[in-house]
Each structure stands twice: as C-alpha cells, then as structure tokens.
C-alpha cells in the first residue's frame, strides 16, 4: 500500500492534463502546442505510475516506458513538421495551416 | 528528538507533504509553460516541470521511472526542442523587442530566476527526503525496482516492446524525410546526366 492516496495522485494527473489541454486549445504558436502536448503525455505517465505504485505492480512503469517512446517519436515528427512549416510560411502560426478547410 | 511531531504534521506524513509540494511545483511550472511568451523561457519551465514530476515519481516508489524521466524526457526530448528553437531563430520570439542593456535589472534576471528557484527547491526537497529516515523507511517498504520492470518488459510485454521499436523507426524515417531541405534529392545528384 502506497503512502500517498490514489485520489490525490489522480488529482495531480488531471490538473496537469487540463493545463496541457488548455495550452493546446488556446495557443497559436505551434511550438507551444507541442510543449503542451508534452505536458499532457507527462500527466498520463503520472496516472500510470501512481496506479502501479498503489497496487504494487510493475505494469504501470512498463506503460510509462511505452508512453516515453511514443513521446520521443511524436516530438521528432512534430519538430520536423515544424521545420517544414517555418520554411514554407516563415511563421509558426497554426492558423496558416487551413488549406484543408472546405 | 520527539518523533511524534515529525511523523504527522496536520495529519499528513512527511512523505505526503513532500509529494504535495513537488506536485505544486509541477503545476506552477506547467502553468508558466502554457502562459509563457518567450519560447526559451517556456522551455526552461518545461524542464523544471518534468524534474518536479520526476521527484513525484521517486516519492511514489518508482525510482527507475524517475531516472528515465530525467534522462529521456528532460535530457533527450527537451534537447530536441532546444535544437529546433535554435533552427527557428529568435524571429518567433517576443524578446527581440526587449531592451538589450547589459545592466543587471529585474527584467534581466527574471529570465532565469524563476526556473532556477524552482529547481533549487526541488533539489532541497530531494536532499531532505534522502536524509530523512522516516521517509526512507516508508519509501523502501513499497519500492518497485528496475528488475521487476525488466522482467515484465521482456516477458508478457515483448510484443509491445517490438511495436514501440517500430514506432521509433517510423519516427526516425519520417523525421529525416520531413526535415530534408526542399528540392534537394539525394538520388537526383547521382543521375549520370548531371555529371557532364
């Protein structure tokens, strides 16, 4: 049994996730959107580790490692796309990417 | 001297208090990331936020995950961000309009003051929780070490590890493809007609 109650860990995870989600919704700079995505993925990791420590199972840390690889691949791809965007538009404004709008 | 006052402060154990403090620091740093204007500044706060979450992991009894968080997240992924910001230059940055004086003013030190204060608080917290015997006693009672994680990773989760490696390979190839300069193709240079 962990010393920290699960509900408090989940409150922390939810708060961090909400902060990241608000960042994704509100910010217009694509670099900040990527950073907010990192915060969101990190919050999910907190929830997994907390659950794993409460039930004394190592599965939570395995899931955290998988999230880590996902975040690494996502950041590499996202930053490469951002470099393309900077080259094409000379700006990182997300509203410039509206070609697919009907 | 009197252990009864140390065990519970306002009904919380010292381990819990440490956890809440680190969680508060993580939330504050994340808020500064989301609301920041300067990209480098926000990146510093993101590093500090990840470090605070790593301290939370350590206090939850997952030191392996805490180490991975520091090494992979704060060490590798954030360095990618730093390189990207260096490539973009400071044209995306609002600090280009800031006064360029070398005087030691308040706005000058505020660039690194906040993140370093939070990092110092985290360091003090970590040292305190390593030194405190009551916290260590509780931590070692419910620790999940790297051996258990490794046994699970190469046992029931072997397929997931393979899929993760495929994902990383896909990220590598796609990153190379997208970040390549436009109009430069490697096989075009090797065409025989070009070497006239």
């Amino acid at each position: 049994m962990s010393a920290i109650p699960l509900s408090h860990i989940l409150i922390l995870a939810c708060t961090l996730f909400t902060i990241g989600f608000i960042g994704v919704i509100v910010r217009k700079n694509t670099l900040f959107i990527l950073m907010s995505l990192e915060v969101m993925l990190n919050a999910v990791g907190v929830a997994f580790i907390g659950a794993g420590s409460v039930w004394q199972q190592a599965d939570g840390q395995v899931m955290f490692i998988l999230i880590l690889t996902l975040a690494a691949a996502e950041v590499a791809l996202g930053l490469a796309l951002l470099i393309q965007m900077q080259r094409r538009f000379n700006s990182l404004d997300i509203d410039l990417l509206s070609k697919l709008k009907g | 001297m009197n252990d009864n006052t140390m065990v519970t402060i306002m009904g919380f154990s010292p381990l819990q208090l440490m956890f809440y403090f680190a969680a508060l620091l993580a939330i504050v740093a994340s808020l500064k990331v989301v609301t920041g204007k300067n990209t480098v500044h926000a990146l510093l706060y993101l590093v500090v936020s990840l470090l605070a979450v790593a301290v939370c992991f350590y206090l939850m009894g997952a030191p392996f995950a805490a180490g991975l968080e520091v090494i992979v997240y704060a060490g590798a992924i954030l360095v990618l961000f730093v390189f990207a910001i260096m490539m973009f230059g400071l044209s995306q940055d609002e600090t280009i309009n800031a006064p360029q004086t070398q005087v030691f003013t308040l706005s000058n030190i505020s660039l690194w003051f906040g993140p370093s204060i939070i990092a110092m608080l985290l360091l003090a917290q970590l040292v305190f929780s390593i030194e405190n015997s009551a916290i260590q006693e509780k931590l070692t009672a419910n620790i999940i070490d790297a051996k258990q994680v490794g046994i699970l990773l190469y046992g029931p989760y072997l397929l997931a590890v393979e899929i993760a490696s495929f994902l990383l390979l896909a990220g590598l190839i796609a990153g190379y493809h997208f970040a390549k300069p436009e109009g430069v193709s490697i096989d075009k240079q090797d065409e025989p007609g070009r070497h006239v």
Side-chain angles (χ1 to χ4, degrees):
Chain A
M1 185 59 203
S2 171
I4 302 154
L6 179 61
S7 57
H8 296 171
I9 296 171
L10 287 182
I11 287 171
L12 169 66
C14 287
T15 314
L16 284 180
F17 192 87
T18 312
I19 290 170
F21 185 67
I22 289 172
V24 170
I25 297 288
V26 169
R27 295 309 296 247
K28 283 181 112 181
N29 193 333
T30 319
L31 198 62
F32 278 94
I33 292 177
L34 264 185
M35 285 190 210
S36 308
L37 271 177
E38 285 306 300
V39 173
M40 284 169 76
L41 280 174
N42 208 32
V44 178
V46 170
F48 269 116
I49 298 274
S53 85
V54 166
W55 281 294
Q56 287 293 299
Q57 299 288 323
D59 299 62
Q61 294 192 39
V62 171
M63 280 297 158
F64 174 71
I65 291 171
L66 295 181
I67 289 173
L68 213 64
T69 55
L70 175 75
E74 176 245 327
V75 163
L77 247 181
L79 286 177
L81 283 173
L82 248 64
I83 289 170
Q84 276 280 23
M85 186 178 171
Q86 171 82 5
R87 214 175 270 146
R88 251 178 228 198
F89 300 106
N90 267 320
S91 163
L92 290 180
D93 193 349
I94 192 84
D95 286 345
L96 291 173
L97 301 178
S98 57
K99 281 263 177 67
L100 276 180
K101 201 159 73 179
Chain B
M1 42 185 191
N2 42 1
D3 279 350
N4 286 332
T5 53
M6 264 312 285
V7 171
T8 54
I9 304 163
M10 293 180 301
F12 296 119
S13 66
L15 178 61
Q16 264 178 307
L17 286 177
M18 289 284 109
F19 175 79
Y20 296 143
F21 192 58
L24 189 72
L25 289 182
I27 288 170
V28 168
S30 303
L31 275 175
K32 293 289 275 186
V33 171
V34 170
T35 57
K37 287 251 184 294
N38 180 344
T39 44
V40 181
H41 209 168
L43 201 66
L44 278 180
Y45 273 114
L46 185 56
V47 173
V48 170
S49 163
L50 295 175
L51 291 182
V53 170
V55 171
C56 283
F57 285 169
Y58 176 70
L59 293 175
M60 279 192 257
F64 181 55
L68 275 184
E69 175 98 6
V70 172
I71 294 169
V72 179
Y73 249 118
I77 295 180
L78 269 295
V79 166
L80 261 184
F81 270 106
V82 170
F83 276 127
I85 288 175
M86 279 158 65
M87 282 187 76
F88 296 146
L90 285 176
S91 58
Q92 297 299 320
D93 204 14
E94 285 83 354
T95 47
I96 208 162
N97 299 321
Q100 298 289 324
T101 53
Q102 294 296 316
V103 189
F104 198 68
T105 59
L106 194 67
S107 63
N108 241 346
I109 63 169
S110 73
L111 259 178
W112 49 268
F113 197 60
S116 52
I117 281 290
I118 298 181
M120 281 298 159
L121 283 176
L122 283 172
L123 177 66
Q125 205 182 3
L126 198 61
V127 168
F128 177 75
S129 52
I130 287 174
E131 283 294 312
N132 195 324
S133 59
I135 291 178
Q136 280 300 313
E137 214 170 285
K138 273 201 168 176
L139 270 182
T140 45
N142 47 36
I143 205 166
I144 301 170
D145 55 353
K147 187 180 172 187
Q148 287 168 275
V149 181
I151 288 171
L152 267 189
L153 262 183
Y154 286 93
Y157 285 99
L158 188 58
L159 192 62
V161 172
E162 298 285 343
I163 292 172
S165 71
F166 267 101
L167 183 69
L168 283 177
L169 180 65
L172 178 71
I173 294 172
Y176 169 71
H177 174 72
F178 282 128
K180 208 164 45 179
E182 236 165 304
V184 175
S185 171
I186 289 171
D187 37 277
K188 281 235 176 85
Q189 292 170 351
D190 293 339
E191 276 177 19
R194 298 249 164 168
H195 301 288
V196 180

